[in-house]
Amino acid sequence: MMTAYEKLLAARAQDRPTARAYIEGMFTERTELHGDRKYADDAAIIGGIGELDGKPVTFIGIERGRDLQERIRCNFGCPMPEGYRKALRLMKQAEKFHRPIVCFVDTSGAYCGEEAEERGQGQAIADNLMQMMGMETPIITIVIGEGGSGGALGLSVANRIYMLENAVYSVISPEGCASILWEDASKAADAAECLKITADDMKRFGVAEDVIIENFDAFDVMCEDLKKRLLSDIQEMERFSGKELSEQRYARFRKLGVYQEI
Amino acid sequence: MNNIVGMFRKSRNVLESGGITPEVEEKIRCPICKAIDTKRSVAKNKMVCPVCGHHYRISARTRIKTVCDKGSFQEIPMHLQTENPLHFPGYANKIESARLASGQEEGVICGTATIRQQPCAIFVMDPQFMMGSMGSVVGEKITRLFEYATEHDLPVVGFTASGGARMQEGVLSLMQMAKTSGAVHFHSQKGGLYITVLTDPTTGGVTASFAMLGDIILSEPNALIGFAGRRVIEQTTKKKLPDDFQRAEFLQDCGFVDAIVSRTELRATLERLLKQHRKGAGV
């Protein structure tokens, strides 16, 4: 059994497949689309149109980059506000043309920097949360690595969320949590345990529908299985109207949270 | 206004109770301009420094008194109690001391009120309760308020003050961002007006959800508003940030705040906006 911290390290491992690998492994006839039409193109969020067994689908993914050069260009998978706005543009486009949306989440968090604040990182994520809730088309999110806080949530308002077995989801990085709690970032392993960040935790909380077994040695088989799962989900969801899908999505998030009624 | 003044009065002074020596009135020193004034006169000015206009942080209850018509606020009872779903170390104690420090059960108060006769649903976050952080109860209360407002065709006026999502409830706190944003969406879909008033400080997960989703976003002067914390940004970028960074005025310059309104002018502004959005006002 791996500890939460070991899983976090596995999720961050540099040789782990990034969003682009899944997109290339599952979608054919791809056209990558760039830019938010407002400010810039953020390389940390990739997106476009592709086909799953002949069915057009919009794909969006947070990309960490595969080598150092790419990582620098992708800002190590930390999106800028224009990344979230680009994602939203592609989602709106998908909705218009009745295409399902598949999102791949893998980020330590939305970029923390001066320019990100000036261009409204908070507003960009907020807008995604609200607009995604209203989207009248199926949305499926797969957390393939790190689900870092609001930056991950900005692509997670989905009808179904899957977690890879070593993927994690957290409100704050365990390092950040440890430095707030114990003023010692090196206690991240303890914090990871306390924060309950594993895929199994997500399933237990109702944040994720299911956990997907990793099989990176046979990545093409894994992609094929994942594709089948997506297609059957999409088929199930397309029985509902767009409005129903939006309401189901809200109902899904509506029940998240733990409190006592007195 | 008498009620506010009352809140800052420790006790009746000796003179009032028939004593001989008049008690020295409690003084307050503005942390910005250093002007010394009586607590009473600052309170009368809605806890805004009469000399330099510095807006003191105030509790949710005090906020309600500065904004709503006297006696109009009706809290919507929701009977929700905070749990410790992750068994997070020290959380139960933190909640207990926050309750004692603030006199509140949780970090937000929700209800209905009138503002100069204009009815609205209102939520007010309390910076004194674990820095207004959002856990399951705060998210649920705000969500229910929006659902109530949607059902009763009421505009929502929301005062945000928060350090962000509450770490101690882990990812469940994070999910409150999606839940509340969804509630805002369905309120908006029905044509409901939502005005946010950002107060010091509004940061993190609250900025990245319902705080930034108002049809109209107002802010108190000089309020700290941002997504990432200043220290985190300075550590990440190894750059010293300018003093006005993430202040309301900066956010307005960047295009994310509609207007900066002083606490002393806020009732008039809200009245005007609420009136202009009354059903049928444009017909």
Side-chain angles (χ1 to χ4, degrees), chain B residues 24 27 32 51 66 72 76 78 98 104 109 131 144 226 238 241 262 268:
Chain B
V24 183
K27 295 287 200 329
I32 305 302
V51 179
T66 68
S72 73
I76 302 174
M78 297 194 191
Q104 296 303 319
I109 300 175
M131 198 34 96
R144 288 191 189 181
K238 316 262 183 267
L241 293 164
S262 158

Side-chain angles (χ1 to χ4, degrees), chain A residues 18-20 43-46 61-66 70 74 76-77 106:
Chain A
T18 63
R20 201 177 283 283
I45 292 194
I46 54 175
I62 306 180
E63 174 61 35
R64 280 176 188 258
R66 287 184 274 203
E70 224 180 86
C74 298
F76 298 87
D106 187 14

Side-chain angles (χ1 to χ4, degrees), chain B residues 203-223:
Chain B
T203 61
V206 167
T207 296
S209 61
F210 57 85
M212 283 291 161
L213 294 175
D215 296 294
I216 296 168
I217 301 179
L218 307 176
S219 175
E220 286 200 337
N222 203 42

Side-chain angles (χ1 to χ4, degrees), chain B residues 121-190:
Chain B
I122 181 167
F123 72 82
V124 184
M125 301 183 83
D126 200 323
Q128 294 172 1
F129 194 100
M130 283 185 79
M131 198 34 96
S133 65
M134 171 161 65
S136 298
V137 168
V138 170
E140 181 68 19
K141 285 181 84 169
I142 289 172
T143 302
R144 288 191 189 181
L145 184 78
F146 272 95
E147 289 174 346
Y148 179 92
T150 308
E151 197 182 319
H152 293 83
D153 245 335
L154 281 171
V156 175
V157 176
F159 289 83
T160 59
S162 180
R166 191 177 292 170
M167 184 173 77
Q168 289 87 346
E169 290 184 34
V171 77
L172 293 169
S173 297
L174 189 70
M175 293 301 145
Q176 304 309 310
M177 293 165 62
K179 185 163 98 179
T180 50
S181 300
V184 174
H185 168 77
F186 288 103
H187 179 253
S188 181
Q189 284 295 99
K190 260 195 83 183

